[in-house]
Amino acid sequence: MPGARRGQAFATKFRAAFPDLAFGGTADLIAEGDYVVGQWIGGGTHTGDAFDDMPIGALPAGSGKSMRFTGTSVLKVVDGMIAEEIGLDDGVTVLQQLGLIKPA
């Protein structure tokens, strides 16, 4: 699964760039059949490695820039394991907070 490996590589590099990265739930989970929906908030400060795995721009190592963003994830659960994840996060806010794009 090339897409899964790509996602894992991104997550590893993201964590190295933002070592204090944290996420938490912001609402009760909603479950129906095989699906669970959750809202969350996440963020951290770029104190680690350089990071260039974004749609636009790059950060040099240890820029000190902070980000805070929200999202919603829909998970398909099969036999007690997450089989699929579809999510939407506020990536534009992240790019603005990191100084990679200007607010409109």
Side-chain angles (χ1 to χ4, degrees):
M1 296 176 59
R5 284 191 295 275
R6 165 81 173 100
Q8 185 178 10
F10 174 85
T12 299
K13 289 168 66 175
F14 198 56
R15 173 67 70 182
F18 295 86
D20 66 342
L21 186 65
F23 294 90
T26 59
D28 290 338
L29 297 174
I30 300 170
E32 179 72 30
D34 293 339
Y35 292 90
V36 178
V37 178
Q39 293 177 309
W40 49 267
I41 189 166
T45 304
H46 180 238
T47 58
D49 295 348
F51 191 73
D52 64 357
D53 200 353
M54 290 180 279
I56 188 170
L59 295 171
S63 73
K65 295 180 180 182
S66 293
M67 63 176 176
R68 195 139 203 77
F69 58 104
T70 59
T72 302
S73 294
V74 178
L75 307 173
K76 182 175 183 181
V77 181
V78 177
D79 297 326
M81 303 284 288
I82 297 172
E84 253 180 82
E85 187 263 342
I86 299 170
L88 178 64
D89 61 56
D90 194 2
V92 171
T93 294
V94 169
L95 294 174
Q96 289 173 342
Q97 292 170 350
L98 296 176
L100 299 173
I101 62 173
K102 293 181 181 186

